[in-house]
């Protein structure tokens, strides 16, 4: 089984400071959303902005709830970054 770890807290600390970190935050969140939607990975643990995923695993109920709350908080910066990267495309 394959594991993925994403440290979003580090990327989210000051998203206005560094363009590269803003873009990495955006791409990581989009990737995690896609993996969860495809159900190819599940979140085993989420703490302090770090997501621990495992291929072909079910989501841990507490971890997915924590991720969804954090993900909701990230919506405004993610939408802003999306507009920056794709000025003519709405966020899907």
């Amino acid at each position: 089984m394959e594991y993925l770890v994403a440290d979003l807290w580090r990327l989210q600390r000051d998203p206005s400071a560094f363009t590269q970190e803003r873009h990495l935050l955006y791409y990581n969140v989009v990737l995690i959303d896609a993996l969860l939607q495809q159900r190819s990975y599940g979140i085993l643990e989420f703490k302090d902005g770090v997501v621990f995923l495992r291929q072909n695993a079910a989501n841990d109920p507490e971890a997915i709830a924590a991720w969804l709350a954090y993900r909701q908080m990230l919506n405004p910066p993610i939408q802003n970054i999306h507009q920056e990267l794709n000025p003519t495309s709405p966020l899907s």
Side-chain angles (χ1 to χ4, degrees), residues 9 11 17 19 21 29 48 51 53 59 62 64 74 77 81 86:
W9 178 84
L11 298 173
T19 299
E21 287 194 355
V29 170
D48 298 329
V51 185
L53 302 108
N59 291 313
E62 290 180 23
I64 192 70
L74 287 177
I81 298 165
N86 309 287

Side-chain angles (χ1 to χ4, degrees), residues 2-6 31-32 35 41-42 51-55:
E2 191 171 316
Y3 294 90
L4 294 174
V5 177
L31 175 63
I32 292 167
L35 293 173
Y41 281 78
V51 185
F52 185 66
L53 302 108
R54 182 173 165 193
Q55 188 176 27

Side-chain angles (χ1 to χ4, degrees), residues 15-27:
S16 64
F18 301 101
T19 299
Q20 184 178 12
E21 287 194 355
R22 282 197 322 270
H23 294 176
L24 285 172
L25 174 65
Y26 172 80
Y27 290 125

Side-chain angles (χ1 to χ4, degrees), residues 42-46 58-69:
I43 295 180
L44 299 181
E45 189 170 345
F46 177 80
N59 291 313
D60 174 83
E62 290 180 23
I64 192 70
W67 162 253
L68 293 173

Side-chain angles (χ1 to χ4, degrees), residues 54-92:
R54 182 173 165 193
Q55 188 176 27
N56 299 321
N59 291 313
D60 174 83
E62 290 180 23
I64 192 70
W67 162 253
L68 293 173
Y70 185 80
R71 177 64 181 88
Q72 184 69 28
M73 189 249 335
L74 287 177
N75 272 341
I78 292 301
Q79 289 174 350
N80 290 340
I81 298 165
H82 177 82
Q83 284 303 115
E84 176 184 321
L85 293 170
N86 309 287
T88 61
S89 171
L91 184 63
S92 52

